[in-house]
Amino acid sequence: MLVNRKRARNKSIEQKLVFEEKRKKKNTTDWYFAFKYLLVVFALLFTFWFCIQLYKWHLKRLVITPFDRSKPLSIEYSPRKWGTLKSGYYLALKSMSPFTVISGLMWFRNRIQGNSIPIRHWCNQGDSLQKYTWTRHDFESFGEQTIVDGPFVLTTKVVLDGEEGWRTKINVKFNNHSRLEPISILWYYSTEAESDFVTVDKYNDDPNFFQIKGKSFSDGFFVSRIHFFNVSQTLFKGCFSNGFKPQPIDLKEIVLNNLYWMTDEQFGHIFVMKGDFDLMSNVVVCQISAVPPFDISIDFQVVPDLDSDYIFTEVNDFDSAHENGVLDFENDFEAKFNLKSKGFKNGEIDFAKAALSNMLGGIGFFYGSSLVQSKYNEKPIRYGPLQLLTAVPSRSFFPRGFLWDEGFHNLLISKFNPRLSVSIIKSWLNLMNIEGWIPREVILGTDSEARVPPEFIIQNNTNANPPALFLTLNSMIDSGTLEAAFISEIFPRLELWYNWFNASQTGVKRSSYRWRGRDPYIKTELNPKTLTSGLDDYPRSTNPTENEIHVDLRCWMTFASRVMAKLSKQIHHPSHNIYEEAANYLSDNHLLEDLHWSNDYNMFCDFGLHSLNVKLVRPKTGGPKQRKEISKPRFGCVPEFGYVSLFPLILNILEPDNPKLSRILDNMKNPDTLWSPFGLRSLSKNSSYYQQYNTEVDAPYWRGAVWINLNYLTLKALNHYAETKGPYQDKAHDLYKELRSNIVSNMYREYVRTGYIWEQYDDKTGQGKGSHPFTGWSALVVLIMSENY
Ligand SMILES: *[C@@H]1O[C@H](CO)[C@@H](O)[C@H](O)[C@H]1NC(C)=O
Ligand SMILES: *[C@@H]1O[C@H](CO)[C@@H](O)[C@H](O)[C@H]1NC(C)=O
Ligand SMILES: *[C@@H]1O[C@H](CO)[C@@H](O)[C@H](O)[C@H]1NC(C)=O
Ligand SMILES: *[C@@H]1O[C@H](CO)[C@@H](O)[C@H](O)[C@H]1NC(C)=O
Ligand SMILES: *[C@@H]1O[C@H](CO)[C@@H](O)[C@H](O)[C@H]1NC(C)=O
């Protein structure tokens, strides 16, 4: 027993030990397992976190990921083609590539004004020139510009030699028989990339001749010569070079910082550039100060190397090349617009030629990145580098690309040069990101950014702008200038663009649409702006909500669907039926009226939460005035009669026999509402917003003034209804005739009076207003004159 017990005890001890052992082992394995477990959990968590970060990163990058990055649409011009491609400069030449050599003109009167010297370089309304206008310009091969600055007239002629270079001649003379006064003309060369240089090559050999040479990243080696002719009284001649670039990129600053004065017996102080030559500089400026008249001729050639001597085309050739350009232009212009055969006088035809030439001469090539933001980015990020070939609304005030303006610009450009429009359209569609969004205002490069207030630089990818490029496509397809290959090439992008609109700009009701980008919280605006619609301060509902619906956007979508249907038909695209159906559905007049017609107000209108009586009132506590709702906002028609109410007519959505068409025509013709002797007002004279400031400092913009783009579309529509069988044909025809003559005669009169084409025209006096020259969509007057819709 005892033994047994002992054994038993031993055994139990053994067991215990084993047990202990096991426990120990188990403990370590437990730990081991726990550790492993934790590691796995950790790894999983990390992977999860990593995936989320990756996904977030992906979301953040969507806005800056170009659509079909590997296959951008190729434009029809060589990147080495030379042109007057700096829209915002009085005269500057460059090639259609990112890092080129920019050459251009500056000039100044020898006087101190304010406490500076009035150097002209960037087109600037503050310079108050009496006139500057391309009188002829075909974009491809030549241009001719007249600049009137005080007592001086500068005529700048340009011949573009394709990829080889360019030539220009500048004639300076007195405006009238004012007293003699010297003028300083500067011609500069400025390169952009690190490894580029430009330097003065020949300087002292011949006092009437400078030679400049250099190299730029995109153009390679180049040589340029400046010749002075017919100068009777020279006060100074010289070149200056500089090895650095100031910020901002306006070279004017370099010149200002390096001017000193010398004394002339007859004219007193003459301001001239002082400095040394740098062998490896990136800016060269040559100056002549002389008493007009005189001539300067500059030629520029790309060369294979800088060692040999080059034979330049002789100056005589310039004259004949330029004259040939002019001749072709004149013939082309008459063949395409028939103004002579329509009975217009020479002055009127010159006005029309200037309108077209400024549109073409203002076309720019831009390079840089756009500052964009989506809801996934806390801060704006850079989208790019991007390139854009585009016309611009105004060389002085808006020398950059605007999405909806461009659709209007190319209505005109495509009638003169369809190949150019094809390139511009492709260039714009290349900006599209993978979501199908295109920025509204395209501000590329430091000199473009320098001209835009910071709050307008950032582009928001929830925001649209009217898809007006469909206007161009429609016009081109109707006039047979769109090739099937081109349509097929751009169609995937158009589909994505269309779908982006259709998905992101919808309204709450079926088949309704709503502009984004209105601020429901802003208190200082009489009516929260709708920049996205293109009609900035045109009154919409006073209280932006997600329930409001916009009649103009619905019409744009109807129109876009129709054009998509036409395009897809031409290339037998399988989705043709989808667009055809969408177009028919949205064109249904009953459906449109259900959503947007108001019997109470007898008009098409937006619907939204709207107060009929608001005022800007200064708060008792001081500070800026704030909106006060005198009458309580109610959901319903926003009864502000104007361009927005006309959209069903403007975009031909109304059936020719729809009685609402007749109503609109009658309402439009009333001088107490939209009709003025100078064109259609943007907003009815009896609207409470008519000519009202939107804040204390925001002057009325689309609140009464006459705008040419929508007058053009109205005329096009009236012409359509006048020519389509229906009960209101005659009525449309009468309005058409009168409106056309009002627009043309007023714009011409103002051009003669002021020297400019304007952004808008005053509805009471007809006078040009806003920025000038404005030869973006205001240049559509050419099509109005030629009745080429
Ligand atoms: C000549 O030009 C000057 C400067 O622009 C102007 O003030 C003056 O009125 C002009 N004289 C005539 C006769 O046109
Ligand atoms: C010099 O002046 C004459 C007479 O005005 C003109 O015919 C000629 O073209 C001018 N020379 C140049 C190179 O512009
Ligand atoms: C546009 O969107 C609506 C839904 O909001 C859809 O029913 C319609 O098919 C879309 N149109 C096209 C052409 O894709
Ligand atoms: C972009 O626009 C949307 C819609 O208007 C707005 O909600 C959002 O705050 C805007 N984002 C930025 C960064 O401005
Ligand atoms: C503006 O005038 C039209 C036409 O005379 C009229 O029908 C409409 O009621 C007026 N609107 C306002 C707000 O007075």
Side-chain angles (χ1 to χ4, degrees), residues 372-375 377-380 458-463 514-520 532:
V372 301
Q373 191 165 15
S374 75
K375 64 179 176 192
N377 310 109
E378 295 103 59
K379 283 192 188 137
I458 301 165
Q459 302 295 306
N460 183 332
N461 76 337
T462 49
N463 293 345
R514 171 171 66 89
W515 294 113
R516 304 306 198 261
R518 303 194 71 209
D519 184 350
T532 43

PDB file of all heavy atoms in Angstrom, residues 372-375 377-380 458-463 514-520 532, ligand 4:
ATOM      1  N   VAL A 372      -6.933  72.523 -59.269  1.00  0.00           N
ATOM      2  CA  VAL A 372      -8.283  71.945 -59.198  1.00  0.00           C
ATOM      3  C   VAL A 372      -8.526  71.342 -57.812  1.00  0.00           C
ATOM      4  O   VAL A 372      -7.599  71.105 -57.048  1.00  0.00           O
ATOM      5  CB  VAL A 372      -8.468  70.846 -60.267  1.00  0.00           C
ATOM      6  CG1 VAL A 372      -8.242  71.394 -61.664  1.00  0.00           C
ATOM      7  CG2 VAL A 372      -7.538  69.668 -60.018  1.00  0.00           C
ATOM      8  N   GLN A 373      -9.781  71.091 -57.530  1.00  0.00           N
ATOM      9  CA  GLN A 373     -10.127  70.510 -56.245  1.00  0.00           C
ATOM     10  C   GLN A 373     -11.371  69.655 -56.384  1.00  0.00           C
ATOM     11  O   GLN A 373     -12.319  70.021 -57.073  1.00  0.00           O
ATOM     12  CB  GLN A 373     -10.367  71.626 -55.222  1.00  0.00           C
ATOM     13  CG  GLN A 373     -10.462  71.115 -53.805  1.00  0.00           C
ATOM     14  CD  GLN A 373     -10.330  72.216 -52.775  1.00  0.00           C
ATOM     15  OE1 GLN A 373     -10.441  73.391 -53.109  1.00  0.00           O
ATOM     16  NE2 GLN A 373     -10.103  71.854 -51.539  1.00  0.00           N
ATOM     17  N   SER A 374     -11.348  68.491 -55.726  1.00  0.00           N
ATOM     18  CA  SER A 374     -12.551  67.670 -55.657  1.00  0.00           C
ATOM     19  C   SER A 374     -12.900  67.518 -54.189  1.00  0.00           C
ATOM     20  O   SER A 374     -12.164  67.978 -53.325  1.00  0.00           O
ATOM     21  CB  SER A 374     -12.302  66.301 -56.283  1.00  0.00           C
ATOM     22  OG  SER A 374     -11.527  65.507 -55.403  1.00  0.00           O
ATOM     23  N   LYS A 375     -14.007  66.847 -53.903  1.00  0.00           N
ATOM     24  CA  LYS A 375     -14.402  66.748 -52.496  1.00  0.00           C
ATOM     25  C   LYS A 375     -13.438  65.863 -51.711  1.00  0.00           C
ATOM     26  O   LYS A 375     -13.464  65.835 -50.502  1.00  0.00           O
ATOM     27  CB  LYS A 375     -15.826  66.240 -52.379  1.00  0.00           C
ATOM     28  CG  LYS A 375     -16.056  64.848 -52.890  1.00  0.00           C
ATOM     29  CD  LYS A 375     -17.511  64.444 -52.695  1.00  0.00           C
ATOM     30  CE  LYS A 375     -17.738  63.070 -53.315  1.00  0.00           C
ATOM     31  NZ  LYS A 375     -19.124  62.706 -53.431  1.00  0.00           N
ATOM     32  N   ASN A 377     -10.135  66.154 -51.872  1.00  0.00           N
ATOM     33  CA  ASN A 377      -8.902  66.887 -51.582  1.00  0.00           C
ATOM     34  C   ASN A 377      -9.174  67.991 -50.578  1.00  0.00           C
ATOM     35  O   ASN A 377     -10.076  68.795 -50.787  1.00  0.00           O
ATOM     36  CB  ASN A 377      -8.345  67.547 -52.855  1.00  0.00           C
ATOM     37  CG  ASN A 377      -8.250  66.577 -54.002  1.00  0.00           C
ATOM     38  OD1 ASN A 377      -9.013  66.665 -54.955  1.00  0.00           O
ATOM     39  ND2 ASN A 377      -7.347  65.647 -53.897  1.00  0.00           N
ATOM     40  N   GLU A 378      -8.363  68.006 -49.504  1.00  0.00           N
ATOM     41  CA  GLU A 378      -8.537  69.107 -48.552  1.00  0.00           C
ATOM     42  C   GLU A 378      -8.042  70.398 -49.170  1.00  0.00           C
ATOM     43  O   GLU A 378      -8.529  71.464 -48.874  1.00  0.00           O
ATOM     44  CB  GLU A 378      -7.754  68.862 -47.261  1.00  0.00           C
ATOM     45  CG  GLU A 378      -8.218  67.688 -46.432  1.00  0.00           C
ATOM     46  CD  GLU A 378      -7.289  66.494 -46.593  1.00  0.00           C
ATOM     47  OE1 GLU A 378      -6.089  66.643 -46.293  1.00  0.00           O
ATOM     48  OE2 GLU A 378      -7.756  65.426 -47.042  1.00  0.00           O
ATOM     49  N   LYS A 379      -7.014  70.243 -50.009  1.00  0.00           N
ATOM     50  CA  LYS A 379      -6.441  71.434 -50.629  1.00  0.00           C
ATOM     51  C   LYS A 379      -6.460  71.269 -52.142  1.00  0.00           C
ATOM     52  O   LYS A 379      -6.445  70.146 -52.637  1.00  0.00           O
ATOM     53  CB  LYS A 379      -4.992  71.588 -50.163  1.00  0.00           C
ATOM     54  CG  LYS A 379      -4.881  72.122 -48.768  1.00  0.00           C
ATOM     55  CD  LYS A 379      -3.443  72.531 -48.494  1.00  0.00           C
ATOM     56  CE  LYS A 379      -3.269  72.882 -47.033  1.00  0.00           C
ATOM     57  NZ  LYS A 379      -2.041  72.323 -46.483  1.00  0.00           N
ATOM     58  N   PRO A 380      -6.464  72.384 -52.862  1.00  0.00           N
ATOM     59  CA  PRO A 380      -6.393  72.269 -54.324  1.00  0.00           C
ATOM     60  C   PRO A 380      -5.099  71.590 -54.754  1.00  0.00           C
ATOM     61  O   PRO A 380      -4.076  71.730 -54.065  1.00  0.00           O
ATOM     62  CB  PRO A 380      -6.422  73.718 -54.806  1.00  0.00           C
ATOM     63  CG  PRO A 380      -6.431  74.583 -53.622  1.00  0.00           C
ATOM     64  CD  PRO A 380      -6.555  73.769 -52.396  1.00  0.00           C
ATOM     65  N   ILE A 458      -8.988  78.378 -58.586  1.00  0.00           N
ATOM     66  CA  ILE A 458      -9.285  76.970 -58.300  1.00  0.00           C
ATOM     67  C   ILE A 458     -10.544  76.514 -59.042  1.00  0.00           C
ATOM     68  O   ILE A 458     -11.579  77.159 -59.002  1.00  0.00           O
ATOM     69  CB  ILE A 458      -9.490  76.769 -56.790  1.00  0.00           C
ATOM     70  CG1 ILE A 458      -8.236  77.199 -56.047  1.00  0.00           C
ATOM     71  CG2 ILE A 458      -9.821  75.311 -56.486  1.00  0.00           C
ATOM     72  CD1 ILE A 458      -8.449  77.393 -54.570  1.00  0.00           C
ATOM     73  N   GLN A 459     -10.429  75.381 -59.742  1.00  0.00           N
ATOM     74  CA  GLN A 459     -11.559  74.822 -60.491  1.00  0.00           C
ATOM     75  C   GLN A 459     -12.106  73.609 -59.736  1.00  0.00           C
ATOM     76  O   GLN A 459     -11.355  72.738 -59.326  1.00  0.00           O
ATOM     77  CB  GLN A 459     -11.105  74.421 -61.895  1.00  0.00           C
ATOM     78  CG  GLN A 459     -10.508  75.569 -62.690  1.00  0.00           C
ATOM     79  CD  GLN A 459     -11.520  76.659 -62.990  1.00  0.00           C
ATOM     80  OE1 GLN A 459     -12.582  76.383 -63.547  1.00  0.00           O
ATOM     81  NE2 GLN A 459     -11.213  77.891 -62.599  1.00  0.00           N
ATOM     82  N   ASN A 460     -13.427  73.569 -59.589  1.00  0.00           N
ATOM     83  CA  ASN A 460     -14.097  72.581 -58.755  1.00  0.00           C
ATOM     84  C   ASN A 460     -14.765  71.534 -59.656  1.00  0.00           C
ATOM     85  O   ASN A 460     -15.563  71.884 -60.532  1.00  0.00           O
ATOM     86  CB  ASN A 460     -15.130  73.365 -57.924  1.00  0.00           C
ATOM     87  CG  ASN A 460     -15.880  72.509 -56.952  1.00  0.00           C
ATOM     88  OD1 ASN A 460     -16.064  71.310 -57.178  1.00  0.00           O
ATOM     89  ND2 ASN A 460     -16.346  73.116 -55.877  1.00  0.00           N
ATOM     90  N   ASN A 461     -14.455  70.265 -59.423  1.00  0.00           N
ATOM     91  CA  ASN A 461     -14.926  69.251 -60.375  1.00  0.00           C
ATOM     92  C   ASN A 461     -16.382  68.832 -60.195  1.00  0.00           C
ATOM     93  O   ASN A 461     -16.838  67.897 -60.840  1.00  0.00           O
ATOM     94  CB  ASN A 461     -14.018  68.012 -60.344  1.00  0.00           C
ATOM     95  CG  ASN A 461     -14.287  67.162 -59.119  1.00  0.00           C
ATOM     96  OD1 ASN A 461     -14.806  67.658 -58.119  1.00  0.00           O
ATOM     97  ND2 ASN A 461     -13.937  65.890 -59.198  1.00  0.00           N
ATOM     98  N   THR A 462     -17.113  69.483 -59.288  1.00  0.00           N
ATOM     99  CA  THR A 462     -18.557  69.241 -59.272  1.00  0.00           C
ATOM    100  C   THR A 462     -19.261  70.253 -60.161  1.00  0.00           C
ATOM    101  O   THR A 462     -20.450  70.148 -60.397  1.00  0.00           O
ATOM    102  CB  THR A 462     -19.145  69.361 -57.850  1.00  0.00           C
ATOM    103  OG1 THR A 462     -18.671  70.569 -57.286  1.00  0.00           O
ATOM    104  CG2 THR A 462     -18.729  68.203 -56.988  1.00  0.00           C
ATOM    105  N   ASN A 463     -18.497  71.242 -60.618  1.00  0.00           N
ATOM    106  CA  ASN A 463     -19.114  72.358 -61.333  1.00  0.00           C
ATOM    107  C   ASN A 463     -18.995  72.231 -62.845  1.00  0.00           C
ATOM    108  O   ASN A 463     -17.945  71.909 -63.365  1.00  0.00           O
ATOM    109  CB  ASN A 463     -18.488  73.673 -60.871  1.00  0.00           C
ATOM    110  CG  ASN A 463     -18.825  73.969 -59.420  1.00  0.00           C
ATOM    111  OD1 ASN A 463     -19.733  73.343 -58.856  1.00  0.00           O
ATOM    112  ND2 ASN A 463     -18.123  74.888 -58.824  1.00  0.00           N
ATOM    113  N   ARG A 514     -30.011  70.703 -62.647  1.00  0.00           N
ATOM    114  CA  ARG A 514     -29.700  71.812 -61.734  1.00  0.00           C
ATOM    115  C   ARG A 514     -28.212  72.151 -61.817  1.00  0.00           C
ATOM    116  O   ARG A 514     -27.366  71.268 -61.733  1.00  0.00           O
ATOM    117  CB  ARG A 514     -30.036  71.397 -60.292  1.00  0.00           C
ATOM    118  CG  ARG A 514     -29.567  72.380 -59.219  1.00  0.00           C
ATOM    119  CD  ARG A 514     -30.131  72.013 -57.857  1.00  0.00           C
ATOM    120  NE  ARG A 514     -29.615  70.745 -57.359  1.00  0.00           N
ATOM    121  CZ  ARG A 514     -28.505  70.616 -56.620  1.00  0.00           C
ATOM    122  NH1 ARG A 514     -27.803  71.677 -56.288  1.00  0.00           N
ATOM    123  NH2 ARG A 514     -28.107  69.434 -56.208  1.00  0.00           N
ATOM    124  N   TRP A 515     -27.916  73.458 -61.973  1.00  0.00           N
ATOM    125  CA  TRP A 515     -26.522  73.910 -61.915  1.00  0.00           C
ATOM    126  C   TRP A 515     -26.011  73.743 -60.508  1.00  0.00           C
ATOM    127  O   TRP A 515     -26.695  74.100 -59.556  1.00  0.00           O
ATOM    128  CB  TRP A 515     -26.407  75.395 -62.294  1.00  0.00           C
ATOM    129  CG  TRP A 515     -26.757  75.732 -63.695  1.00  0.00           C
ATOM    130  CD1 TRP A 515     -27.829  76.478 -64.104  1.00  0.00           C
ATOM    131  CD2 TRP A 515     -26.033  75.389 -64.885  1.00  0.00           C
ATOM    132  NE1 TRP A 515     -27.814  76.603 -65.468  1.00  0.00           N
ATOM    133  CE2 TRP A 515     -26.722  75.949 -65.983  1.00  0.00           C
ATOM    134  CE3 TRP A 515     -24.865  74.659 -65.128  1.00  0.00           C
ATOM    135  CZ2 TRP A 515     -26.296  75.796 -67.293  1.00  0.00           C
ATOM    136  CZ3 TRP A 515     -24.441  74.510 -66.437  1.00  0.00           C
ATOM    137  CH2 TRP A 515     -25.153  75.076 -67.501  1.00  0.00           C
ATOM    138  N   ARG A 516     -24.776  73.276 -60.370  1.00  0.00           N
ATOM    139  CA  ARG A 516     -24.143  73.234 -59.051  1.00  0.00           C
ATOM    140  C   ARG A 516     -23.352  74.530 -58.866  1.00  0.00           C
ATOM    141  O   ARG A 516     -23.242  75.325 -59.774  1.00  0.00           O
ATOM    142  CB  ARG A 516     -23.210  72.025 -58.946  1.00  0.00           C
ATOM    143  CG  ARG A 516     -23.904  70.683 -59.229  1.00  0.00           C
ATOM    144  CD  ARG A 516     -25.131  70.504 -58.349  1.00  0.00           C
ATOM    145  NE  ARG A 516     -25.571  69.109 -58.265  1.00  0.00           N
ATOM    146  CZ  ARG A 516     -26.575  68.575 -58.971  1.00  0.00           C
ATOM    147  NH1 ARG A 516     -27.248  69.305 -59.842  1.00  0.00           N
ATOM    148  NH2 ARG A 516     -26.907  67.306 -58.809  1.00  0.00           N
ATOM    149  N   GLY A 517     -22.794  74.663 -57.663  1.00  0.00           N
ATOM    150  CA  GLY A 517     -21.889  75.798 -57.435  1.00  0.00           C
ATOM    151  C   GLY A 517     -22.569  77.053 -56.897  1.00  0.00           C
ATOM    152  O   GLY A 517     -21.947  78.107 -56.835  1.00  0.00           O
ATOM    153  N   ARG A 518     -23.858  76.974 -56.516  1.00  0.00           N
ATOM    154  CA  ARG A 518     -24.489  78.135 -55.887  1.00  0.00           C
ATOM    155  C   ARG A 518     -24.282  78.019 -54.376  1.00  0.00           C
ATOM    156  O   ARG A 518     -24.352  76.928 -53.814  1.00  0.00           O
ATOM    157  CB  ARG A 518     -25.996  78.159 -56.193  1.00  0.00           C
ATOM    158  CG  ARG A 518     -26.320  78.157 -57.674  1.00  0.00           C
ATOM    159  CD  ARG A 518     -27.780  78.527 -57.902  1.00  0.00           C
ATOM    160  NE  ARG A 518     -28.000  79.914 -57.613  1.00  0.00           N
ATOM    161  CZ  ARG A 518     -29.165  80.423 -57.186  1.00  0.00           C
ATOM    162  NH1 ARG A 518     -30.199  79.619 -56.985  1.00  0.00           N
ATOM    163  NH2 ARG A 518     -29.282  81.702 -56.938  1.00  0.00           N
ATOM    164  N   ASP A 519     -24.069  79.137 -53.738  1.00  0.00           N
ATOM    165  CA  ASP A 519     -23.789  79.128 -52.309  1.00  0.00           C
ATOM    166  C   ASP A 519     -25.055  79.477 -51.523  1.00  0.00           C
ATOM    167  O   ASP A 519     -25.514  80.618 -51.553  1.00  0.00           O
ATOM    168  CB  ASP A 519     -22.672  80.147 -52.020  1.00  0.00           C
ATOM    169  CG  ASP A 519     -22.249  80.135 -50.566  1.00  0.00           C
ATOM    170  OD1 ASP A 519     -22.949  79.490 -49.748  1.00  0.00           O
ATOM    171  OD2 ASP A 519     -21.226  80.770 -50.248  1.00  0.00           O
ATOM    172  N   PRO A 520     -25.634  78.501 -50.810  1.00  0.00           N
ATOM    173  CA  PRO A 520     -26.883  78.775 -50.105  1.00  0.00           C
ATOM    174  C   PRO A 520     -26.684  79.645 -48.866  1.00  0.00           C
ATOM    175  O   PRO A 520     -27.643  80.166 -48.309  1.00  0.00           O
ATOM    176  CB  PRO A 520     -27.392  77.388 -49.711  1.00  0.00           C
ATOM    177  CG  PRO A 520     -26.216  76.490 -49.763  1.00  0.00           C
ATOM    178  CD  PRO A 520     -25.201  77.105 -50.675  1.00  0.00           C
ATOM    179  N   THR A 532     -21.523  78.936 -62.757  1.00  0.00           N
ATOM    180  CA  THR A 532     -21.475  77.744 -63.594  1.00  0.00           C
ATOM    181  C   THR A 532     -22.357  77.855 -64.828  1.00  0.00           C
ATOM    182  O   THR A 532     -22.030  77.321 -65.877  1.00  0.00           O
ATOM    183  CB  THR A 532     -21.894  76.523 -62.777  1.00  0.00           C
ATOM    184  OG1 THR A 532     -23.032  76.886 -61.990  1.00  0.00           O
ATOM    185  CG2 THR A 532     -20.788  76.088 -61.843  1.00  0.00           C
TER     186      THR A 532
HETATM  187  C1  LIG B   4     -17.245  72.556 -54.992  1.00  0.00           C
HETATM  188  O1  LIG B   4     -18.604  72.741 -55.352  1.00  0.00           O
HETATM  189  C2  LIG B   4     -19.517  72.022 -54.541  1.00  0.00           C
HETATM  190  C3  LIG B   4     -20.890  72.183 -55.149  1.00  0.00           C
HETATM  191  O2  LIG B   4     -21.211  73.511 -55.292  1.00  0.00           O
HETATM  192  C4  LIG B   4     -19.435  72.539 -53.114  1.00  0.00           C
HETATM  193  O3  LIG B   4     -20.304  71.816 -52.303  1.00  0.00           O
HETATM  194  C5  LIG B   4     -18.001  72.395 -52.614  1.00  0.00           C
HETATM  195  O4  LIG B   4     -17.882  72.987 -51.362  1.00  0.00           O
HETATM  196  C6  LIG B   4     -17.022  73.048 -53.574  1.00  0.00           C
HETATM  197  N1  LIG B   4     -15.691  72.735 -53.154  1.00  0.00           N
HETATM  198  C7  LIG B   4     -14.763  73.659 -53.025  1.00  0.00           C
HETATM  199  C8  LIG B   4     -13.437  73.175 -52.582  1.00  0.00           C
HETATM  200  O5  LIG B   4     -14.956  74.826 -53.262  1.00  0.00           O
END
